[in-house]
Amino acid sequence: MDTSISVLAELRGAIGADSVMAGDAMEAKHFADWVVKAAEGAGPIAVAYPRSTADVSAILRVCHAHRIPVVPQGGLTGLVGGATPVAGCIALSLSRMRAVEEVDAAAATITVQAGVPLQVVQEAADAAGLLFPLDIGSRGSCVIGGNVSTNAGGNRVLRYGMTRELVLGIEVVLADGTVMTSLNKMLKNNAGYDLKHLFIGSEGTLGVVTRLVLRLFPKPESVCTAFCALPDYAAVLELLRRARGKLGGALSAFEVIWPEFYKLATTEHGVRPPVGAAAGVYVLMDSLGSDQEQDTAIFSALIEAALEDGVVDDAVIAQSYRESREFWSLRDSVAEFQRTFDPHVGFDVSVPIGRMQEFIDDCRAHLVARYAPVRALWFGHIADSNLHICVKQEPDGPTKKEIDQIVYGRVRAFGGSVSAEHGIGLLKKPYLEYSRSPVELDVMRRVKAALDPEGILNPGKVF
Amino acid sequence: MDTSISVLAELRGAIGADSVMAGDAMEAKHFADWVVKAAEGAGPIAVAYPRSTADVSAILRVCHAHRIPVVPQGGLTGLVGGATPVAGCIALSLSRMRAVEEVDAAAATITVQAGVPLQVVQEAADAAGLLFPLDIGSRGSCVIGGNVSTNAGGNRVLRYGMTRELVLGIEVVLADGTVMTSLNKMLKNNAGYDLKHLFIGSEGTLGVVTRLVLRLFPKPESVCTAFCALPDYAAVLELLRRARGKLGGALSAFEVIWPEFYKLATTEHGVRPPVGAAAGVYVLMDSLGSDQEQDTAIFSALIEAALEDGVVDDAVIAQSYRESREFWSLRDSVAEFQRTFDPHVGFDVSVPIGRMQEFIDDCRAHLVARYAPVRALWFGHIADSNLHICVKQEPDGPTKKEIDQIVYGRVRAFGGSVSAEHGIGLLKKPYLEYSRSPVELDVMRRVKAALDPEGILNPGKVF
């Protein structure tokens, strides 16, 4: 207790008494992230609210000297428990670092503090006539530092890449409080190791991200959307091949929906079926371009040729933005599935694109072998190799852990990844070794030890 | 001498006598790379030619045990001395690791050994109906492992990214011979740290790249090329903004050429001037698409609007592939400049796009202040922030070192990078600190020490 009192005093001395909350003054939200609560009595000893990089540095200097764990917290919207506090830690909230520092239209960059909500970054870019393309459902509450620390994905990865690809420059504070400012604005920079990649996607275990330079893009001026019914997965691969060829960089989403999902959405959730008869598999695809008339012509020709050649059995092309949104509402109805499909175990995995159907068949067979009446939904950003799965939990069926072991076991067998876009955090730690070899894990640990030898940064996360 | 005899014997025992050359059996080429020769008497003690990852591992185990430096060598086409041997090293040539292991059309990937020449990768992709977009002048002799180790750039970075963006999976052998196989085929994989980025662009100082999984793309089916004369750099920025907006992902090259370069190419090198009168600055731009007719319409409309609005003073659009090549021959004539502009000091730097002209004016003024009759050429992949500069050396003018110090000094002042795409190697080592802070360099050294504690991998390169 003495230590924590002296730590609190030091922290308050360093960044101001109004920036360090302890005891009953701590807001409950800092005791958990979206999915994992701190164990009873195992919360933070204080929540620190830095206003600047210098404040973050001061917090880490104090905590490093006392070997106090530090858990960085952004919007607390992660899905793997990556921001859940550990006992005796300082929760370092980026919520007061919300400055949009600069939009550089010529370089097409935006410079922001890490605590800026994703939606605010999007709006600042929009106000400058540009696009920040990262977009995920939690845009209003997640913050850009968290997006970078977890290498967030989302709906436009196909066209613009993961968050990693959108970061040009980074500033991080290392475990001992050292500030590494690397706010590069240039697309090409081969001056030594590209250190930003160490910190992107390492879930706050190597440093605390404080500022970022992000890439901006021209705003798309057209959108084309189609909903297609296809006979089978081979046809999906052929449609993807054609779409990549004809639409090139404009192809921005290629979502595949298997029948179980389609049926649930169009029956119990009342979404109007976009196409007529039942099909083997469905594809929802978007392209973003610069000229609605020309782009619609190219997009329609692609779909019509696929219909003529029997690649697609049935298809509708949105005639308006409203109709495009309606097609997407089928995909987005997953957010409502808790009403009809809970409890369920959800998965965010990657599998090589060519083996996706084989994986699904195999995984379904293994689930059925364990529990014959199993119900599961399959859907995902297939062009990115990313499959989402929801397995319904039944009172007489397998436990969450059993379901995890079956699904992650099949992911391992297919050379897939146990985390496509959500990260590892706490929840996926037991399965990290399913996708990473002992040598890879050893190299990760060597890097961790090199940058955080005392292990104070987000301890217990990732590995 | 005893040590080296025993090392040779061990190496021969490990990978076969025909795979280890010493003494007069060593080919001279392994004593130098494209620009830097080993010091007199300071060559390798042997050249090892592994045929497999296991061979590379065996070589490193032996060398690690004896603390013998290992210098990985690919096509030896680097421009900064990154593959020049150090005294007493083993040169590890990847030249026998030339297998194209797999093309996976569904995943759009190719798996290759590190010693495959870039052009062979391109041809294997092409034979499968796909494109491997990396392209640099040395394509016939450089090898893909070297491209990855140096994070090569080239002419299509704007559309497809640097080599880094084209790598999905990697296999490397660490300093102690440990093999890290991380041959991921998936676009999304957030299972722990993304270790491949450590090895991409670290110039063989952290591990020896042995195998790679690379991204492939649909072959473009159309190309549009324009050569434009513009009044000034502000107009260049406006044209770039419009091109990005209208062409989106199809914009694949945006080369800017300042008048000194244009004049030299069109006079002493006899290139036919594509446009009429002299201009403030010139732009050569390409777009790659899927439908020549539609793409030409969009491209022409963009250029015509720019002409009407005075953004562009004069422009020609290539009416054939031959004409497109002719426009490019002006840019490519730089390869012949040794005939008219040697000796010169060449630069590959990055500067934030918005400040490029200001940088050029400032840098020119500093060169003139030192030597009034100085001649310099300015050109580059400006949309990637990448500027190339050639400064003519005169008998009574500044030395190479003085010119380096002036130019890199101005790069530093503008927050630029002393290496856009060539890396650091030996030649740029003195200037690395112009673009990287002491903290960044310290983090690089910590990573190096974590992965190669004995410092045997390509010692003396980068830092």
Side-chain angles (χ1 to χ4, degrees):
Chain A
M1 203 55 191
D2 278 356
T3 312
S4 49
I5 290 171
S6 109
V7 167
L8 288 183
E10 279 187 56
L11 287 174
R12 287 180 170 137
I15 68 167
D18 64 333
S19 296
V20 183
M21 301 296 160
D24 293 345
M26 288 191 281
E27 289 177 274
K29 67 177 183 185
H30 295 289
F31 284 68
D33 73 5
W34 198 254
V35 288
V36 187
K37 266 208 178 98
E40 189 63 34
I45 54 174
V47 183
Y49 299 91
R51 288 189 165 83
S52 65
T53 302
D55 281 357
V56 175
S57 173
I59 294 164
L60 282 162
R61 268 200 311 275
V62 170
C63 291
H64 192 256
H66 294 281
R67 315 268 191 279
I68 303 277
V70 175
V71 177
Q73 295 188 333
L76 296 162
T77 57
L79 295 175
V80 292
T84 305
V86 296
C89 77
I90 300 295
L92 191 161
S93 169
L94 279 303
S95 57
R96 290 187 186 166
M97 290 183 64
R98 302 170 77 103
V100 174
E101 297 188 346
E102 185 202 41
V103 176
D104 180 336
T109 60
I110 186 168
T111 306
V112 294
Q113 285 186 314
V116 178
L118 171 57
Q119 190 171 329
V120 173
V121 181
Q122 293 173 338
E123 288 166 357
D126 189 70
L130 291 162
L131 173 77
F132 182 62
L134 178 65
D135 193 42
I136 56 180
S138 57
R139 66 185 72 78
S141 32
C142 66
V143 304
I144 191 66
N147 302 143
V148 169
S149 295
T150 58
N151 188 29
N155 288 330
R156 295 179 188 144
V157 170
L158 189 55
R159 167 140 188 199
Y160 299 100
M162 302 280 281
T163 302
R164 182 181 299 284
E165 275 79 50
L166 306 175
V167 178
L168 288 176
I170 200 166
E171 180 181 78
V172 291
V173 181
L174 303 177
D176 64 0
T178 301
V179 178
M180 188 185 89
T181 302
S182 196
L183 292 174
N184 169 67
K185 272 191 183 181
M186 299 165 291
L187 281 178
K188 286 186 178 171
N189 189 345
N190 273 346
Y193 305 167
D194 196 346
L195 297 171
K196 66 174 177 283
H197 290 294
L198 277 175
F199 302 96
I200 301 169
S202 55
E203 305 184 38
T205 62
L206 298 179
V208 178
V209 176
T210 47
R211 290 196 293 162
L212 294 156
V213 180
L214 305 165
R215 291 182 73 176
L216 301 179
F217 293 82
K219 285 192 219 182
E221 287 167 27
S222 76
V223 58
C224 299
T225 304
F227 197 98
C228 308
L230 296 92
D232 54 30
Y233 188 70
V236 170
L237 289 180
E238 174 59 16
L239 181 62
L240 176 59
R241 194 188 65 75
R242 291 172 175 221
R244 279 180 165 149
K246 288 293 172 198
L247 305 176
L251 180 64
S252 62
F254 192 90
E255 300 289 311
V256 183
I257 294 165
W258 273 264
E260 297 89 337
F261 183 115
Y262 185 85
K263 194 175 161 204
L264 183 67
T266 56
T267 56
E268 297 187 54
H269 289 275
V271 178
R272 191 171 66 84
V275 288
V281 59
Y282 304 86
V283 169
L284 170 62
M285 56 188 274
D286 264 3
S287 83
L288 298 171
S290 60
D291 184 305
Q292 190 67 56
E293 198 178 327
Q294 276 160 325
D295 297 333
T296 301
I298 295 168
F299 193 81
S300 303
L302 164 74
I303 300 295
E304 279 157 26
L307 276 164
E308 270 171 37
D309 299 343
V311 173
V312 166
D313 287 333
D314 194 3
V316 280
I317 298 176
Q319 298 302 319
S320 63
Y321 184 73
R322 192 193 51 73
E323 206 169 21
S324 164
R325 287 297 89 199
E326 198 177 309
F327 296 171
W328 273 93
S329 72
L330 191 146
R331 167 66 175 79
D332 294 341
S333 64
V334 66
E336 311 295 326
F337 283 5
Q338 77 275 15
R339 183 161 61 74
T340 57
F341 208 74
D342 262 5
H344 74 263
V345 187
F347 294 91
D348 158 56
V349 300
S350 279
V351 174
I353 298 172
R355 300 190 69 195
M356 192 69 78
Q357 185 65 53
E358 193 190 337
F359 167 80
I360 291 175
D361 294 343
D362 175 86
C363 192
R364 192 190 275 122
H366 277 77
L367 289 166
V368 166
R370 171 62 186 79
Y371 179 70
V374 69
R375 291 180 63 201
L377 311 177
W378 317 81
F379 61 104
H381 321 295
I382 298 304
D384 306 327
S385 337
N386 187 180
L387 181 69
H388 293 297
I389 311 168
C390 299
V391 181
K392 185 100 159 42
Q393 277 192 276
E394 306 289 356
D396 56 343
T399 63
K400 176 182 183 312
K401 190 173 174 184
E402 284 178 281
I403 294 170
D404 277 348
Q405 286 176 342
I406 291 170
V407 173
Y408 289 132
R410 303 328 298 160
V411 168
R412 167 154 67 179
F414 278 74
S417 172
V418 297
S419 181
E421 52 183 15
H422 295 170
I424 297 298
L426 285 173
L427 292 186
K428 294 197 175 185
K429 263 174 70 176
Y431 304 103
L432 180 57
E433 65 177 42
Y434 283 35
S435 291
R436 297 295 189 190
S437 67
V439 174
E440 289 173 286
L441 295 172
D442 177 60
V443 174
M444 291 181 203
R445 287 197 188 92
R446 285 206 232 176
V447 171
K448 169 73 174 175
L451 294 186
D452 180 18
E454 304 293 344
I456 68 162
L457 279 175
N458 213 6
K461 309 294 164 59
V462 185
F463 44 65
Chain B
M1 203 56 189
D2 277 355
T3 312
S4 49
I5 289 171
S6 109
V7 168
L8 287 183
E10 280 187 56
L11 287 174
R12 288 180 170 135
I15 67 168
D18 65 331
S19 297
V20 183
M21 302 296 161
D24 292 346
M26 287 192 283
E27 289 176 275
K29 67 177 183 184
H30 295 289
F31 284 67
D33 74 4
W34 199 254
V35 288
V36 187
K37 265 205 179 98
E40 189 65 33
I45 55 174
V47 184
Y49 298 91
R51 288 188 165 83
S52 64
T53 303
D55 281 357
V56 175
S57 173
I59 294 164
L60 282 162
R61 269 200 309 277
V62 171
C63 292
H64 193 256
H66 293 281
R67 313 268 190 281
I68 304 275
V70 174
V71 177
Q73 294 188 333
L76 296 162
T77 57
L79 295 175
V80 291
T84 305
V86 296
C89 78
I90 300 295
L92 191 161
S93 169
L94 279 303
S95 57
R96 290 186 186 168
M97 291 185 62
R98 301 169 77 103
V100 174
E101 298 187 348
E102 186 202 41
V103 176
D104 180 337
T109 60
I110 186 168
T111 306
V112 294
Q113 285 185 314
V116 178
L118 171 56
Q119 191 170 330
V120 174
V121 181
Q122 292 173 338
E123 288 166 358
D126 189 69
L130 292 162
L131 173 77
F132 181 62
L134 178 65
D135 193 42
I136 55 180
S138 56
R139 67 186 70 79
S141 32
C142 67
V143 305
I144 190 67
N147 302 143
V148 169
S149 296
T150 58
N151 188 29
N155 288 330
R156 295 180 187 143
V157 170
L158 188 53
R159 166 138 188 201
Y160 299 100
M162 301 283 279
T163 302
R164 182 181 299 283
E165 276 79 50
L166 305 174
V167 178
L168 288 176
I170 200 166
E171 181 181 77
V172 291
V173 181
L174 303 178
D176 63 0
T178 302
V179 178
M180 188 186 89
T181 301
S182 197
L183 291 174
N184 168 68
K185 272 191 182 180
M186 297 165 294
L187 281 178
K188 285 186 179 172
N189 189 345
N190 273 348
Y193 305 167
D194 196 345
L195 297 172
K196 66 174 177 282
H197 290 294
L198 277 175
F199 302 95
I200 301 169
S202 55
E203 305 184 40
T205 62
L206 298 179
V208 179
V209 176
T210 48
R211 290 197 292 162
L212 294 156
V213 180
L214 305 165
R215 291 182 72 175
L216 301 178
F217 293 82
K219 285 193 222 183
E221 288 167 28
S222 76
V223 58
C224 298
T225 305
F227 197 98
C228 308
L230 297 93
D232 53 30
Y233 188 70
V236 170
L237 290 180
E238 173 61 15
L239 181 62
L240 176 59
R241 193 189 65 76
R242 291 172 175 220
R244 279 180 164 149
K246 287 294 173 197
L247 305 175
L251 181 64
S252 62
F254 193 90
E255 301 289 311
V256 182
I257 294 166
W258 274 264
E260 297 89 338
F261 182 115
Y262 185 84
K263 194 176 163 204
L264 183 67
T266 55
T267 55
E268 296 187 53
H269 289 274
V271 178
R272 191 170 67 83
V275 288
V281 60
Y282 304 87
V283 169
L284 170 62
M285 56 186 275
D286 263 4
S287 83
L288 298 171
S290 61
D291 185 305
Q292 190 67 58
E293 198 179 327
Q294 276 160 325
D295 297 334
T296 301
I298 296 168
F299 193 82
S300 303
L302 165 74
I303 301 294
E304 279 158 25
L307 276 162
E308 270 171 36
D309 299 344
V311 174
V312 167
D313 286 334
D314 193 3
V316 279
I317 297 176
Q319 299 301 319
S320 64
Y321 184 72
R322 193 193 52 74
E323 206 169 21
S324 163
R325 286 298 89 196
E326 199 177 308
F327 295 171
W328 273 92
S329 72
L330 192 145
R331 167 66 174 80
D332 294 341
S333 65
V334 66
E336 311 295 326
F337 284 4
Q338 77 277 15
R339 185 160 61 75
T340 57
F341 208 73
D342 263 5
H344 74 263
V345 187
F347 294 91
D348 158 57
V349 300
S350 279
V351 175
I353 298 173
R355 301 189 69 196
M356 192 68 78
Q357 184 66 51
E358 194 190 337
F359 168 79
I360 291 175
D361 294 343
D362 174 86
C363 192
R364 192 191 274 121
H366 277 78
L367 289 166
V368 166
R370 169 62 186 81
Y371 180 71
V374 69
R375 291 180 63 202
L377 312 176
W378 317 81
F379 60 105
H381 321 294
I382 298 305
D384 306 327
S385 338
N386 187 182
L387 181 69
H388 293 298
I389 312 166
C390 300
V391 181
K392 185 97 157 48
Q393 278 191 277
E394 307 289 356
D396 56 342
T399 63
K400 176 180 183 312
K401 189 171 174 186
E402 284 178 282
I403 295 170
D404 278 348
Q405 287 176 341
I406 291 170
V407 173
Y408 290 132
R410 302 329 296 159
V411 168
R412 167 154 66 179
F414 278 75
S417 171
V418 297
S419 180
E421 52 183 15
H422 295 170
I424 297 298
L426 285 174
L427 291 185
K428 295 196 174 185
K429 263 174 69 176
Y431 304 102
L432 179 58
E433 66 176 43
Y434 284 35
S435 292
R436 297 296 188 191
S437 66
V439 173
E440 290 174 286
L441 294 172
D442 176 60
V443 174
M444 291 182 203
R445 288 199 187 92
R446 285 205 232 176
V447 170
K448 169 73 173 173
L451 294 185
D452 179 18
E454 304 293 343
I456 68 162
L457 279 174
N458 214 7
K461 309 296 165 58
V462 183
F463 44 65

